[in-house]
Amino acid sequence: MRILIVNTSERTGGAAVAAGRLMDALNACGIEARMLVGKKETHRDCVVALGGRLARRWHFLWERLCVFLGLRLSRQRLFEIDLANSGSDITRLPEFKRADVIHLNWINQGMLSLNDIRKILDSGKPVAWTMHDLWPAAGICHYARGCEAFKTGCGHCPLLPGGGSEGDMSHRVWRKKRKIYANRNIHFVTCSRWLEGQARQSGLLAGLRVSSIPNTIDTSVFAPGDMAAARRRTGLPADKRVILFVSHRVTDGRKGMDYFTRALERLVEERPAARKDTVVAILGGESEAVAERLPLDACPLGYVGDDAAIVDIYRSADLYVLPSLEDNLPNTIMEALACGLPCVGFRVGGIPEMIDHAKNGYVAAYKDTDDLARGMAWVLYEADRQALAAECVRKVERCYSQQSVAMRYTEVYNELVAHSNYIKAEPQGRRRQGKPF
Protein backbone atom coordinates (compact mmCIF):
# COMPACT_ATOMS: atom_id res chain seq x y z
CA MET A 1 0.00 0.00 0.00
CA ARG A 2 1.31 3.47 -0.93
CA ILE A 3 0.39 6.44 1.27
CA LEU A 4 0.89 10.10 0.33
CA ILE A 5 0.95 12.33 3.43
CA VAL A 6 0.19 15.97 2.60
CA ASN A 7 1.19 18.84 4.90
CA THR A 8 1.99 22.52 4.38
CA SER A 9 5.54 22.26 5.77
CA GLU A 10 7.99 19.47 6.47
CA ARG A 11 9.21 20.41 9.95
CA THR A 12 7.77 23.79 10.99
CA GLY A 13 4.94 23.43 13.48
CA GLY A 14 3.49 20.61 15.53
CA ALA A 15 1.43 19.15 12.69
CA ALA A 16 4.51 18.93 10.45
CA VAL A 17 6.48 17.14 13.17
CA ALA A 18 3.61 14.71 13.80
CA ALA A 19 3.11 14.01 10.08
CA GLY A 20 6.81 13.33 9.59
CA ARG A 21 6.91 10.97 12.54
CA LEU A 22 3.90 9.09 11.21
CA MET A 23 5.62 8.71 7.83
CA ASP A 24 8.67 7.23 9.55
CA ALA A 25 6.49 4.90 11.63
CA LEU A 26 4.62 3.64 8.56
CA ASN A 27 7.83 3.01 6.62
CA ALA A 28 9.31 1.19 9.62
CA CYS A 29 6.27 -1.11 9.57
CA GLY A 30 6.64 -1.93 5.88
CA ILE A 31 4.08 0.52 4.49
CA GLU A 32 5.39 2.77 1.73
CA ALA A 33 4.76 6.35 2.79
CA ARG A 34 5.91 9.61 1.24
CA MET A 35 5.27 13.18 2.23
CA LEU A 36 4.23 16.05 -0.06
CA VAL A 37 4.92 19.49 1.39
CA GLY A 38 4.79 23.09 0.31
CA LYS A 39 7.98 23.88 2.18
CA LYS A 40 10.74 21.26 2.21
CA GLU A 41 13.36 21.74 4.92
CA THR A 42 15.56 18.64 4.65
CA HIS A 43 17.15 16.56 1.88
CA ARG A 44 15.14 13.41 2.61
CA ASP A 45 14.18 11.47 -0.53
CA CYS A 46 10.85 10.41 0.94
CA VAL A 47 9.77 14.07 1.19
CA VAL A 48 8.69 15.81 -2.02
CA ALA A 49 8.29 19.56 -2.38
CA LEU A 50 5.36 21.03 -4.25
CA GLY A 51 6.79 22.90 -7.24
CA GLY A 52 6.14 26.50 -8.21
CA ARG A 53 7.62 28.54 -5.40
CA LEU A 54 6.29 31.84 -6.73
CA ALA A 55 2.83 30.37 -7.21
CA ARG A 56 2.79 29.04 -3.64
CA ARG A 57 3.87 32.45 -2.36
CA TRP A 58 1.04 34.03 -4.33
CA HIS A 59 -1.52 31.60 -2.88
CA PHE A 60 -0.34 32.43 0.63
CA LEU A 61 -0.37 36.22 0.09
CA TRP A 62 -3.73 36.23 -1.68
CA GLU A 63 -5.41 34.35 1.14
CA ARG A 64 -3.84 36.60 3.78
CA LEU A 65 -5.00 39.66 1.82
CA CYS A 66 -8.57 38.34 1.73
CA VAL A 67 -8.43 37.65 5.48
CA PHE A 68 -6.96 41.13 6.07
CA LEU A 69 -9.81 42.74 4.15
CA GLY A 70 -12.34 40.58 6.00
CA LEU A 71 -10.84 41.84 9.27
CA ARG A 72 -11.27 45.43 8.06
CA LEU A 73 -7.54 46.00 7.73
CA SER A 74 -6.73 44.67 11.20
CA ARG A 75 -3.73 42.39 11.74
CA GLN A 76 -4.86 41.23 15.18
CA ARG A 77 -6.31 37.85 14.09
CA LEU A 78 -4.59 37.62 10.71
CA PHE A 79 -3.21 34.12 11.35
CA GLU A 80 -6.10 32.77 13.40
CA ILE A 81 -8.29 32.49 10.31
CA ASP A 82 -7.96 30.33 7.20
CA LEU A 83 -10.27 30.56 4.18
CA ALA A 84 -8.58 28.00 1.89
CA ASN A 85 -9.58 30.14 -1.09
CA SER A 86 -6.26 29.67 -2.89
CA GLY A 87 -3.90 26.73 -3.28
CA SER A 88 -2.31 24.17 -5.61
CA ASP A 89 -3.86 21.31 -7.55
CA ILE A 90 -1.86 18.21 -6.57
CA THR A 91 -3.92 15.66 -8.50
CA ARG A 92 -1.64 15.83 -11.57
CA LEU A 93 1.53 15.04 -9.66
CA PRO A 94 3.08 11.59 -10.15
CA GLU A 95 3.22 11.10 -6.36
CA PHE A 96 -0.54 11.63 -6.19
CA LYS A 97 -1.24 9.24 -9.07
CA ARG A 98 0.91 6.48 -7.52
CA ALA A 99 -0.72 6.70 -4.10
CA ASP A 100 -3.40 4.28 -2.92
CA VAL A 101 -4.50 6.62 -0.11
CA ILE A 102 -4.16 10.40 0.22
CA HIS A 103 -3.54 11.38 3.82
CA LEU A 104 -4.21 15.07 4.46
CA ASN A 105 -2.83 16.77 7.55
CA TRP A 106 -2.47 20.55 8.14
CA ILE A 107 -2.92 21.97 4.63
CA ASN A 108 -3.61 25.65 5.30
CA GLN A 109 -1.94 28.96 4.39
CA GLY A 110 -1.86 28.47 0.65
CA MET A 111 -1.14 24.73 0.41
CA LEU A 112 -4.58 23.48 -0.68
CA SER A 113 -7.75 25.40 -1.41
CA LEU A 114 -11.22 23.98 -0.87
CA ASN A 115 -11.47 23.55 -4.63
CA ASP A 116 -8.22 21.56 -4.56
CA ILE A 117 -9.65 19.33 -1.82
CA ARG A 118 -12.74 18.79 -3.95
CA LYS A 119 -10.52 17.72 -6.88
CA ILE A 120 -8.73 15.23 -4.62
CA LEU A 121 -12.06 13.71 -3.59
CA ASP A 122 -13.35 13.77 -7.17
CA SER A 123 -10.34 11.68 -8.20
CA GLY A 124 -11.91 8.72 -6.41
CA LYS A 125 -8.87 8.10 -4.25
CA PRO A 126 -9.71 7.38 -0.60
CA VAL A 127 -8.77 10.17 1.80
CA ALA A 128 -7.73 10.11 5.43
CA TRP A 129 -7.55 13.50 7.10
CA THR A 130 -5.76 13.92 10.42
CA MET A 131 -7.19 16.86 12.31
CA HIS A 132 -4.48 18.68 14.25
CA ASP A 133 -7.07 21.28 15.20
CA LEU A 134 -10.75 21.99 14.55
CA TRP A 135 -10.42 23.73 11.16
CA PRO A 136 -11.57 20.79 8.98
CA ALA A 137 -14.76 20.58 11.09
CA ALA A 138 -15.44 24.32 11.39
CA GLY A 139 -15.70 27.35 9.16
CA ILE A 140 -12.57 29.48 9.38
CA CYS A 141 -11.19 28.94 12.90
CA HIS A 142 -8.65 26.43 14.21
CA TYR A 143 -9.87 26.50 17.82
CA ALA A 144 -13.47 27.15 18.85
CA ARG A 145 -12.56 28.94 22.12
CA GLY A 146 -16.02 28.33 23.52
CA CYS A 147 -17.95 29.13 20.33
CA GLU A 148 -20.44 26.42 19.32
CA ALA A 149 -21.51 27.79 15.94
CA PHE A 150 -19.49 25.11 14.10
CA LYS A 151 -22.10 22.59 15.22
CA THR A 152 -24.87 24.11 13.12
CA GLY A 153 -23.36 26.25 10.38
CA CYS A 154 -21.06 28.98 11.71
CA GLY A 155 -21.88 32.64 11.24
CA HIS A 156 -21.69 35.48 13.77
CA CYS A 157 -18.01 34.55 14.07
CA PRO A 158 -16.35 36.04 17.18
CA LEU A 159 -13.06 36.27 15.26
CA LEU A 160 -14.55 38.78 12.82
CA PRO A 161 -15.10 42.51 13.47
CA GLY A 162 -18.26 43.15 15.42
CA GLY A 163 -18.86 39.45 15.89
CA GLY A 164 -19.57 38.87 12.22
CA SER A 165 -23.05 38.33 10.80
CA GLU A 166 -25.38 35.48 9.96
CA GLY A 167 -23.95 35.08 6.45
CA ASP A 168 -20.35 36.10 7.14
CA MET A 169 -17.26 34.45 5.67
CA SER A 170 -17.24 31.77 8.39
CA HIS A 171 -20.74 30.69 7.33
CA ARG A 172 -19.85 30.78 3.62
CA VAL A 173 -16.76 28.62 4.12
CA TRP A 174 -18.71 26.21 6.36
CA ARG A 175 -21.37 25.73 3.67
CA LYS A 176 -18.76 25.14 0.96
CA LYS A 177 -17.03 22.50 3.09
CA ARG A 178 -20.37 20.75 3.68
CA LYS A 179 -20.96 20.45 -0.07
CA ILE A 180 -17.43 19.15 -0.65
CA TYR A 181 -17.58 16.51 2.11
CA ALA A 182 -21.04 15.15 1.30
CA ASN A 183 -21.10 11.39 0.50
CA ARG A 184 -17.32 11.13 0.15
CA ASN A 185 -14.91 8.31 0.97
CA ILE A 186 -13.12 10.24 3.69
CA HIS A 187 -12.13 9.31 7.24
CA PHE A 188 -11.34 12.08 9.74
CA VAL A 189 -8.82 11.18 12.44
CA THR A 190 -8.29 13.34 15.50
CA CYS A 191 -5.13 13.20 17.59
CA SER A 192 -7.02 13.33 20.88
CA ARG A 193 -10.31 12.09 22.27
CA TRP A 194 -11.11 15.68 23.22
CA LEU A 195 -10.92 16.82 19.59
CA GLU A 196 -12.84 13.72 18.51
CA GLY A 197 -15.66 14.82 20.79
CA GLN A 198 -15.70 18.25 19.18
CA ALA A 199 -15.50 16.83 15.65
CA ARG A 200 -18.48 14.52 16.25
CA GLN A 201 -20.57 17.56 17.20
CA SER A 202 -19.78 19.38 13.96
CA GLY A 203 -22.59 19.61 11.46
CA LEU A 204 -19.95 19.34 8.74
CA LEU A 205 -18.96 15.79 9.71
CA ALA A 206 -22.42 14.40 10.38
CA GLY A 207 -22.61 10.90 8.90
CA LEU A 208 -18.87 10.78 8.13
CA ARG A 209 -16.32 8.52 9.79
CA VAL A 210 -14.44 10.05 12.72
CA SER A 211 -12.00 8.28 15.02
CA SER A 212 -9.12 9.15 17.35
CA ILE A 213 -5.50 8.01 16.94
CA PRO A 214 -2.71 9.75 18.87
CA ASN A 215 0.49 11.04 17.32
CA THR A 216 3.59 8.87 17.58
CA ILE A 217 7.19 9.46 18.60
CA ASP A 218 10.51 7.72 17.97
CA THR A 219 11.64 6.51 21.39
CA SER A 220 15.07 5.66 20.04
CA VAL A 221 15.61 9.43 19.71
CA PHE A 222 13.48 10.85 22.53
CA ALA A 223 14.59 8.88 25.57
CA PRO A 224 15.96 9.50 29.08
CA GLY A 225 19.65 10.31 29.40
CA ASP A 226 22.35 11.73 31.64
CA MET A 227 21.19 15.10 33.02
CA ALA A 228 24.68 16.35 33.93
CA ALA A 229 26.04 15.63 30.46
CA ALA A 230 23.00 17.23 28.83
CA ARG A 231 23.40 20.39 30.90
CA ARG A 232 27.04 20.67 29.87
CA ARG A 233 25.98 20.57 26.23
CA THR A 234 23.07 23.01 26.61
CA GLY A 235 24.88 25.40 28.95
CA LEU A 236 22.05 25.27 31.49
CA PRO A 237 23.24 25.62 35.11
CA ALA A 238 24.43 22.39 36.71
CA ASP A 239 23.55 23.37 40.27
CA LYS A 240 19.96 24.61 39.91
CA ARG A 241 16.50 23.24 39.26
CA VAL A 242 15.35 23.90 35.69
CA ILE A 243 11.72 24.53 34.77
CA LEU A 244 11.16 24.25 31.01
CA PHE A 245 8.61 26.10 28.85
CA VAL A 246 8.38 25.25 25.13
CA SER A 247 6.35 26.71 22.30
CA HIS A 248 6.94 27.33 18.60
CA ARG A 249 6.24 31.00 19.44
CA VAL A 250 6.32 31.59 23.17
CA THR A 251 4.33 34.84 22.92
CA ASP A 252 1.33 32.94 21.50
CA GLY A 253 -1.40 33.75 24.03
CA ARG A 254 -2.99 30.31 23.58
CA LYS A 255 0.12 28.69 25.11
CA GLY A 256 -0.53 30.46 28.42
CA MET A 257 2.67 32.40 29.13
CA ASP A 258 0.73 34.95 31.24
CA TYR A 259 -0.66 32.14 33.43
CA PHE A 260 2.78 30.58 33.66
CA THR A 261 4.23 33.89 34.86
CA ARG A 262 1.60 34.31 37.56
CA ALA A 263 2.05 30.72 38.71
CA LEU A 264 5.80 31.28 39.00
CA GLU A 265 5.14 34.38 41.11
CA ARG A 266 2.97 32.27 43.39
CA LEU A 267 5.64 29.57 43.56
CA VAL A 268 8.25 32.13 44.59
CA GLU A 269 5.93 33.50 47.28
CA GLU A 270 5.53 30.01 48.74
CA ARG A 271 9.16 28.96 48.16
CA PRO A 272 11.40 32.08 48.40
CA ALA A 273 14.52 29.90 48.00
CA ALA A 274 13.46 29.29 44.40
CA ARG A 275 14.82 32.72 43.47
CA LYS A 276 18.33 31.39 44.02
CA ASP A 277 18.09 27.70 43.19
CA THR A 278 15.67 27.61 40.23
CA VAL A 279 15.79 28.93 36.66
CA VAL A 280 13.38 28.87 33.73
CA ALA A 281 14.54 27.62 30.33
CA ILE A 282 12.45 29.01 27.45
CA LEU A 283 12.61 27.12 24.16
CA GLY A 284 10.99 28.68 21.12
CA GLY A 285 10.76 31.76 18.97
CA GLU A 286 10.60 35.16 20.69
CA SER A 287 11.90 33.68 23.96
CA GLU A 288 13.96 36.82 24.60
CA ALA A 289 10.79 38.89 24.60
CA VAL A 290 9.36 37.18 27.69
CA ALA A 291 12.52 36.40 29.69
CA GLU A 292 12.56 39.69 31.63
CA ARG A 293 8.92 39.30 32.67
CA LEU A 294 9.54 36.20 34.75
CA PRO A 295 10.10 36.30 38.53
CA LEU A 296 12.97 33.79 38.20
CA ASP A 297 16.20 33.94 36.24
CA ALA A 298 15.50 32.88 32.67
CA CYS A 299 17.59 31.16 30.03
CA PRO A 300 16.08 32.06 26.63
CA LEU A 301 17.15 29.35 24.19
CA GLY A 302 15.42 30.66 21.06
CA TYR A 303 14.21 28.37 18.31
CA VAL A 304 16.02 25.01 18.04
CA GLY A 305 15.36 22.70 15.09
CA ASP A 306 17.81 19.86 15.78
CA ASP A 307 16.28 16.83 17.52
CA ALA A 308 19.47 15.93 19.36
CA ALA A 309 19.72 19.45 20.81
CA ILE A 310 16.03 19.41 21.76
CA VAL A 311 16.46 16.06 23.54
CA ASP A 312 19.37 17.51 25.52
CA ILE A 313 17.13 20.37 26.64
CA TYR A 314 14.45 17.97 27.88
CA ARG A 315 17.07 15.87 29.65
CA SER A 316 18.43 19.02 31.32
CA ALA A 317 15.10 19.97 32.88
CA ASP A 318 13.48 18.92 36.16
CA LEU A 319 9.96 19.86 35.07
CA TYR A 320 8.10 20.77 31.90
CA VAL A 321 5.17 23.20 32.18
CA LEU A 322 2.70 23.81 29.32
CA PRO A 323 -0.26 25.90 30.56
CA SER A 324 -2.07 25.92 27.20
CA LEU A 325 -5.55 27.39 27.20
CA GLU A 326 -6.61 25.17 24.31
CA ASP A 327 -4.56 22.37 22.77
CA ASN A 328 -5.04 19.09 20.96
CA LEU A 329 -2.30 16.56 21.75
CA PRO A 330 0.89 18.61 22.20
CA ASN A 331 4.00 17.01 20.71
CA THR A 332 6.08 18.76 23.36
CA ILE A 333 4.38 16.89 26.21
CA MET A 334 4.93 13.62 24.37
CA GLU A 335 8.61 14.49 23.84
CA ALA A 336 9.06 15.44 27.48
CA LEU A 337 7.40 12.24 28.72
CA ALA A 338 9.55 10.13 26.38
CA CYS A 339 12.64 11.73 27.94
CA GLY A 340 11.37 10.90 31.43
CA LEU A 341 10.47 14.52 32.21
CA PRO A 342 7.35 15.07 34.40
CA CYS A 343 4.82 17.55 33.02
CA VAL A 344 2.35 20.05 34.45
CA GLY A 345 -0.54 21.56 32.50
CA PHE A 346 -4.14 22.67 32.71
CA ARG A 347 -7.09 20.30 32.47
CA VAL A 348 -8.00 21.27 28.92
CA GLY A 349 -8.07 19.68 25.48
CA GLY A 350 -6.02 16.53 25.09
CA ILE A 351 -3.59 17.37 27.90
CA PRO A 352 -5.35 15.23 30.57
CA GLU A 353 -5.09 12.28 28.16
CA MET A 354 -1.29 12.61 28.25
CA ILE A 355 -0.58 13.63 31.83
CA ASP A 356 -1.83 11.06 34.31
CA HIS A 357 -2.46 13.16 37.40
CA ALA A 358 -0.02 12.51 40.26
CA LYS A 359 1.57 9.64 38.28
CA ASN A 360 3.69 11.22 35.55
CA GLY A 361 2.92 14.83 36.34
CA TYR A 362 0.18 17.13 37.57
CA VAL A 363 -3.06 18.30 35.91
CA ALA A 364 -4.11 21.68 37.29
CA ALA A 365 -7.60 23.14 37.26
CA TYR A 366 -8.20 25.21 34.15
CA LYS A 367 -6.73 28.74 34.36
CA ASP A 368 -6.08 28.24 38.09
CA THR A 369 -2.61 29.69 38.60
CA ASP A 370 -2.56 28.73 42.27
CA ASP A 371 -3.15 25.09 41.32
CA LEU A 372 -0.57 25.36 38.54
CA ALA A 373 1.96 26.60 41.11
CA ARG A 374 0.90 23.79 43.44
CA GLY A 375 1.58 21.27 40.69
CA MET A 376 5.03 22.71 39.98
CA ALA A 377 5.91 22.60 43.67
CA TRP A 378 4.65 19.03 43.99
CA VAL A 379 6.88 17.81 41.15
CA LEU A 380 9.93 19.83 42.21
CA TYR A 381 9.85 19.30 45.98
CA GLU A 382 7.49 16.52 47.02
CA ALA A 383 7.12 13.73 44.46
CA ASP A 384 9.45 10.77 43.93
CA ARG A 385 11.40 11.90 40.86
CA GLN A 386 12.50 8.42 39.80
CA ALA A 387 8.99 7.02 40.07
CA LEU A 388 7.61 9.93 38.04
CA ALA A 389 10.24 9.50 35.33
CA ALA A 390 9.52 5.77 35.05
CA GLU A 391 5.79 6.45 34.66
CA CYS A 392 6.53 9.04 31.96
CA VAL A 393 8.39 6.50 29.87
CA ARG A 394 5.79 3.77 30.44
CA LYS A 395 3.03 6.10 29.26
CA VAL A 396 4.79 6.74 25.95
CA GLU A 397 5.62 3.07 25.37
CA ARG A 398 2.03 2.08 26.08
CA CYS A 399 0.20 4.76 24.06
CA TYR A 400 2.47 6.42 21.49
CA SER A 401 4.86 3.80 20.13
CA GLN A 402 5.51 3.79 16.39
CA GLN A 403 4.18 0.27 15.88
CA SER A 404 0.89 0.74 17.72
CA VAL A 405 0.07 4.04 15.99
CA ALA A 406 1.11 2.76 12.54
CA MET A 407 -1.08 -0.32 12.91
CA ARG A 408 -4.10 1.76 13.88
CA TYR A 409 -3.64 3.96 10.82
CA THR A 410 -3.22 0.85 8.68
CA GLU A 411 -6.68 -0.24 9.77
CA VAL A 412 -8.05 3.14 8.64
CA TYR A 413 -6.31 2.86 5.27
CA ASN A 414 -7.56 -0.70 4.71
CA GLU A 415 -11.11 0.36 5.52
CA LEU A 416 -10.87 3.29 3.09
CA VAL A 417 -9.50 1.13 0.28
CA ALA A 418 -12.17 -1.52 0.88
CA HIS A 419 -14.84 1.19 0.78
CA SER A 420 -13.34 2.57 -2.44
CA ASN A 421 -13.45 -0.89 -4.05
CA TYR A 422 -17.04 -1.31 -2.87
CA ILE A 423 -18.05 1.98 -4.49
CA LYS A 424 -16.35 1.03 -7.77
CA ALA A 425 -18.20 -2.28 -7.82
CA GLU A 426 -21.60 -0.66 -7.28
CA PRO A 427 -23.92 0.05 -10.23
CA GLN A 428 -23.71 3.66 -11.36
CA GLY A 429 -27.20 4.56 -10.13
CA ARG A 430 -26.62 3.30 -6.59
CA ARG A 431 -23.14 4.90 -6.52
CA ARG A 432 -24.69 8.34 -6.92
CA GLN A 433 -26.76 7.76 -3.81
CA GLY A 434 -23.67 7.66 -1.64
CA LYS A 435 -24.70 4.40 -0.02
CA PRO A 436 -22.88 4.08 3.34
CA PHE A 437 -20.19 1.45 3.81
Side-chain angles (χ1 to χ4, degrees), residues 229-285:
R231 289 192 179 187
R232 286 195 295 271
R233 289 189 290 267
T234 59
L236 291 170
D239 58 346
K240 296 186 177 183
R241 293 184 177 89
V242 176
I243 300 174
L244 178 63
F245 181 96
V246 182
S247 176
H248 178 67
R249 182 169 57 86
V250 300
T251 54
D252 182 353
R254 185 173 59 86
K255 293 298 183 178
M257 174 57 76
D258 290 341
Y259 291 86
F260 180 54
T261 302
R262 291 200 290 273
L264 286 175
E265 291 170 351
R266 182 64 173 170
L267 178 68
V268 170
E269 288 177 11
E270 298 289 332
R271 307 267 182 171
R275 290 189 185 275
K276 294 182 179 181
D277 65 18
T278 307
V279 299
V280 178
I282 311 170
L283 175 60

Side-chain angles (χ1 to χ4, degrees), residues 410-431:
T410 301
E411 292 174 1
V412 170
Y413 301 148
N414 286 333
E415 178 191 338
L416 283 165
V417 170
H419 190 185
S420 180
N421 292 336
Y422 172 82
I423 293 172
K424 291 175 183 177
E426 282 289 280
Q428 187 68 26
R430 293 182 67 188
R431 195 182 309 166

Side-chain angles (χ1 to χ4, degrees), residues 12 54 248 279 346 385:
T12 301
L54 290 178
H248 178 67
V279 299
F346 286 136
R385 173 56 194 262

Side-chain angles (χ1 to χ4, degrees), residues 26 29 31 402-412 414:
L26 292 171
C29 292
I31 299 167
Q402 285 186 317
Q403 183 175 10
S404 65
V405 172
M407 293 310 296
R408 291 179 67 181
Y409 267 110
T410 301
E411 292 174 1
V412 170
N414 286 333

